Amino acid sequence: MLAKLLNNKDTMLVIVFSLVVLAAPLLLAPLGAGYPDLMQRFAIFGIFAIGFNILFGLTGYLSFGHAAFLGVGSYSAVWMFKLLSVNIVPAILLSVLISGLFALVIGYVSLKRSGIYFSILTLAFAQMSFNLAYSVLTPITNGETGLQLALDDPRVLDGASTEGVLPSPQLFGLEMNDTAQVPFLGMELQFNVGFYICALILIAAFFISLRIFRSSFGMMLRAVKSNQTRLNYTGINTKPYTLAAFVISGMYAGLAGGLMASMDPLAGAERMQWTASGEVVLMTIMGGAGSLLGPVLGAAIIKYFENIFSRINDNVIEAWFTFLPDWLGDILVTLISPFVGKGWHLSLGLIFMLVVIFLPGGLVEGAQRVSRWTVRSVKRLQHSEPGSSKSLEPGETH
Amino acid sequence: MSILEVQGVNKRFGGLAALDDVNLSVRENTIHAIIGPNGAGKSTLLNCLVGKLIPDSGTVTFGGRSLIGLKPYEINQLGVSRVFQTPEVFSDLTILENLMIPALASRDGAFKLSPFKYLGKEADIRYQSERILEDVGLIDQRHLLASSMSRGNKRRLEMAMCLVQSPKLLLLDEPTAGMSRADTNNTIELLRTISEAHNITFVVIEHDMHVVFSLADRISVLSQGHVIVEDDPQNIKGHPKVQEAYLGTVESEG
């Protein structure tokens, strides 16, 4: 039974994925990224990108307004903290629910068009939400200051806090910012409650996305991307399929927004800006749209660049080259410095261009090519046998 | 017993009458060909049958039900499948998946939300699809992407995608367009086998006289938007009106 389960490629994929995610503090510490705040962001944006990929990767509908759902999720969660309880469970449930409803309305209207017009409609809705959050909706969003916890919040279930300290979000007593620090091989590993909650949800989100990819529903979504005309003349009403994909991905975004607010109980309108929507598009394309692992990989790389690469300044680079003669070190520092620190966007942009031009299937395709090349080389060494052409089981994506 | 009835259908595009009072009656389990010179309105008529265009006036009934105003997927759900002039398949999906989609559409209807049911568990759908693939001779390639197929094989695949739905009526838009003589003969053979094995009514729009006369039980000749003759093949061949429509007179040619 266990052997059969382990033979299944998908089960293996989920197991390996879970192990890697759960071991993140250990794996990321050598890269300088093993601190809770960043690891939480990896997981949260991973969830956001997985959800976005269900819409964009499968159906090919490119939404430029998904940050709106992220923002709505965050606001809902913070309101739940304020009104009901600082327990994250009701907050996250409400985030998913509200953003799902939001996605239903926006999706229903936007999906009346396809292609660039769909993208523009979603962008317009998101910018509208962003601007409303700053103006008319200030009573709900608290405008520019952003929505945050206050001492006089009702918090019906917890009872109003009287100690004069703001409570922090928790899961039945486990506070999100609790961190156990473990020294290991000269590094300080940080095991953080918030990160592990995000990680478990990320694993669940990944599993759900895998099931969607492998279902007949997922196949219909891929058919929408492949040939919508054929699908219509095959007796399939494409509207509800695309709308369902839109709502599911909106709920993923809301979940990510709710988690974001759970890690740091603050919601601001800038979370809904178009740049945030663009970011998730970049993540998905960079990692590999339509692939299972791609979006998570893309999210991790972009967040890594944003947080780690951007901190490398001239002094850090100089420290790398102290073993070289001064003049050579100076040249290298001059060459490298435009690409790091404040120039991290430049390197990210270059990588993005390279990926789009040479690896249209994203970094996942790159990894697949390398592994296929390795397998082929090994085979060629063993016996000179021609490789069979690629064949796929139904529901399997490449 | 006629399965498809077209009565008094008109369709105008601006000042052009693409279809002018078209009548058509297709009997069950026959192969009915619609022929006519370029611009006669054959494709417009087909588009009115499948729900892509809505006629300005007139009626289209299929098995006693009006098709006017129905969407293409609704018409398909009633049992009408179509093959395009240039094969329309799901290029990014495997050949087997290409078959499973129409099979699922026939079983589950136009929309079914079951996002967690493994495709691998749909054994019936898979069996059904593989059987049809065997019939059309594509079974060995079933795990390949449809984009890797030749145009002739794509046509075969598209035909298989229609057959897996066991339609009552199958509409073919120039099934042999752009094919070599050998491929054309194969297609004729395939169509004949299908019509003998299944109870399917065919409406074939065709340019190629060779195809029409080797297949059709009944022929309608369309010219400048209306049906000039509807008759059996042997009566069509030497019909003066048909010759005029195809060859024209010296004046109308200029």
Side-chain angles (χ1 to χ4, degrees):
Chain A
M1 180 66 200
L2 189 69
K4 197 182 161 199
L5 207 63
L6 288 177
N7 264 331
N8 186 324
K9 265 199 238 160
D10 289 346
T11 319
M12 276 313 284
L13 187 62
V14 174
I15 292 174
V16 172
F17 181 80
S18 311
L19 290 178
V20 170
V21 170
L22 293 175
L26 179 67
L27 299 172
L28 291 173
L31 296 170
Y35 57 96
D37 190 36
L38 182 57
M39 289 193 297
Q40 288 167 2
R41 235 170 292 160
F42 280 159
I44 290 170
F45 280 92
I47 295 169
F48 189 20
I50 287 177
F52 185 75
N53 188 43
I54 290 174
L55 178 70
F56 175 56
L58 289 180
T59 69
Y61 276 82
L62 176 57
S63 160
F64 254 106
H66 257 51
F69 308 125
L70 192 81
V72 168
S74 288
Y75 283 122
S76 319
V78 176
W79 271 113
M80 217 56 177
F81 293 145
K82 287 166 86 70
L83 297 179
L84 194 67
S85 153
V86 284
N87 192 323
I88 61 169
V89 173
I92 287 176
L93 288 179
L94 189 77
S95 315
V96 174
L97 184 74
I98 300 283
S99 52
L101 289 174
F102 222 70
L104 187 67
V105 175
I106 293 184
Y108 183 80
V109 178
S110 306
L111 285 166
K112 299 224 172 269
R113 290 283 170 269
S114 60
I116 184 82
Y117 301 101
F118 167 80
S119 304
I120 296 290
L121 279 171
T122 51
L123 176 63
F125 272 113
Q127 282 304 88
M128 213 160 78
S129 317
F130 169 69
N131 285 312
L132 286 177
Y134 269 134
S135 52
V136 190
L137 295 179
T138 312
I140 300 176
T141 61
N142 203 18
E144 280 180 46
T145 328
L147 192 64
Q148 37 195 299
L149 301 186
L151 285 175
D152 57 353
D153 288 335
R155 280 194 287 283
V156 181
L157 287 184
D158 298 352
S161 68
T162 43
E163 302 139 62
V165 207
L166 280 177
S168 65
Q170 39 93 357
L171 179 70
F172 305 113
L174 281 172
E175 288 204 358
M176 290 305 118
N177 45 21
D178 266 359
T179 305
Q181 306 205 335
V182 182
F184 178 75
L185 294 177
M187 293 177 297
E188 184 97 313
L189 299 188
Q190 308 197 29
F191 296 95
N192 167 263
V193 173
F195 166 70
Y196 273 97
I197 284 170
C198 294
L200 290 176
I201 295 179
L202 172 66
I203 292 168
F206 179 77
F207 179 70
I208 291 174
S209 132
L210 176 83
R211 291 304 298 258
I212 290 176
F213 268 63
R214 298 286 187 258
S215 68
S216 58
F217 174 72
M219 181 170 68
M220 292 299 177
L221 296 183
R222 282 187 292 133
V224 167
K225 183 180 183 177
S226 185
N227 192 340
Q228 199 158 164
T229 312
R230 189 10 111 194
L231 206 51
N232 278 321
Y233 288 101
T234 303
I236 294 291
N237 186 2
T238 50
K239 276 270 168 56
Y241 279 102
T242 44
L243 185 58
F246 193 90
V247 171
I248 291 172
S249 76
M251 287 163 86
Y252 266 80
L255 173 65
L259 275 174
M260 223 179 254
S262 303
M263 298 305 125
D264 180 13
L266 177 82
E270 76 288 342
R271 224 164 256 182
M272 302 210 262
Q273 216 180 351
W274 66 273
T275 47
S277 299
E279 199 180 45
V280 73
V281 178
L282 292 190
M283 288 171 178
T284 312
I285 293 178
M286 180 120 109
S291 70
L292 279 163
L293 286 170
V296 187
L297 189 66
I301 287 175
I302 288 187
K303 285 292 146 191
Y304 185 80
F305 265 79
E306 187 186 299
N307 291 280
I308 304 294
F309 233 64
S310 61
R311 290 211 199 128
I312 302 174
N313 54 27
D314 287 1
N315 296 332
V316 179
I317 312 172
E318 268 167 35
W320 292 350
F321 298 121
T322 41
F323 65 93
L324 291 173
D326 269 358
W327 59 273
L328 189 59
D330 285 348
I331 293 176
L332 285 173
V333 170
T334 323
L335 283 178
I336 293 175
S337 64
F339 294 96
V340 294
K342 281 181 188 146
W344 68 275
H345 282 112
L346 185 58
S347 357
L348 189 65
L350 284 173
I351 294 181
F352 187 74
M353 275 165 58
L354 291 176
V355 166
V356 170
I357 295 170
F358 296 108
L359 295 171
L363 292 169
V364 164
E365 189 194 325
Q368 276 169 346
R369 277 198 206 170
V370 170
S371 76
R372 224 177 292 143
W373 180 81
T374 323
V375 170
R376 233 180 298 140
S377 316
V378 170
K379 262 190 189 154
R380 209 176 299 138
L381 283 176
Q382 284 169 348
H383 27 236
S384 43
E385 195 181 287
S388 65
S389 44
K390 190 163 70 169
S391 77
L392 300 165
E393 279 291 300
E396 226 171 81
T397 38
H398 15 105
Chain B
M1 170 66 197
S2 101
I3 186 165
L4 180 73
E5 279 283 345
V6 176
Q7 267 170 4
V9 161
N10 287 291
K11 181 74 194 174
R12 300 186 71 86
F13 297 114
L16 176 81
L19 294 178
D20 176 17
D21 193 26
V22 169
N23 296 303
L24 190 71
S25 171
V26 178
R27 270 172 294 161
E28 213 168 339
N29 298 330
T30 57
I31 299 183
H32 193 121
I34 297 172
I35 62 171
N38 279 328
K42 302 188 295 289
S43 295
T44 309
L45 175 60
L46 187 97
N47 285 334
C48 287
L49 302 182
V50 293
K52 189 177 182 192
L53 292 175
I54 299 173
D56 299 334
S57 63
T59 59
V60 178
T61 49
F62 169 71
R65 262 200 75 162
S66 169
L67 296 185
I68 304 285
L70 293 187
K71 300 243 169 59
Y73 72 87
E74 292 171 317
I75 292 177
N76 176 282
Q77 288 287 349
L78 292 176
V80 182
S81 288
R82 78 170 286 190
V83 169
F84 287 79
Q85 199 170 337
T86 30
E88 294 274 1
V89 297
F90 304 111
S91 311
D92 313 323
L93 273 60
T94 67
I95 292 172
L96 181 58
E97 287 174 330
N98 265 277
L99 265 274
M100 290 174 82
I101 287 173
L104 283 164
S106 294
R107 194 194 67 188
D108 296 341
F111 174 66
K112 190 185 180 199
L113 187 61
S114 53
F116 300 121
K117 187 167 182 198
Y118 258 119
L119 204 51
K121 296 228 167 101
E122 303 278 11
D124 293 358
I125 294 288
R126 188 174 172 147
Y127 172 74
Q128 208 182 331
S129 308
E130 286 179 339
R131 222 188 43 200
I132 300 282
L133 282 176
E134 249 161 49
D135 287 353
V136 298
L138 291 171
I139 189 75
D140 296 331
Q141 307 166 38
R142 64 185 179 280
H143 294 310
L144 297 182
L145 294 182
S147 55
S148 67
M149 304 173 96
S150 71
R151 191 183 154 123
N153 273 346
K154 274 188 190 158
R155 169 85 58 200
R156 237 163 227 278
L157 173 62
E158 203 186 18
M159 211 87 88
M161 290 163 73
C162 293
L163 289 180
V164 79
Q165 298 195 303
S166 343
K168 297 192 191 99
L169 177 65
L170 182 50
L171 306 168
L172 301 128
D173 193 356
E174 303 207 17
T176 62
M179 275 190 189
S180 67
R181 180 86 329 184
D183 275 345
T184 303
N185 287 335
N186 284 338
T187 310
I188 295 175
E189 211 44 55
L190 181 68
L191 287 174
R192 251 208 220 107
T193 337
I194 294 166
S195 82
E196 276 157 23
H198 308 75
N199 290 329
I200 301 177
T201 311
F202 284 82
V203 170
V204 186
I205 286 184
E206 189 50 79
H207 232 81
D208 190 329
M209 289 301 141
H210 168 64
V211 179
V212 172
F213 288 109
S214 21
L215 270 178
D217 300 315
R218 187 102 181 147
I219 296 174
S220 294
V221 185
L222 209 58
S223 176
Q224 287 170 7
H226 47 243
V227 178
I228 49 174
V229 194
E230 182 181 324
D231 213 330
D232 295 337
Q234 64 270 23
N235 299 333
I236 293 286
K237 258 183 186 161
H239 205 288
K241 273 189 178 172
V242 178
Q243 298 209 326
E244 191 194 312
Y246 265 87
L247 301 171
T249 56
V250 181
E251 293 91 66
S252 69
E253 193 66 7

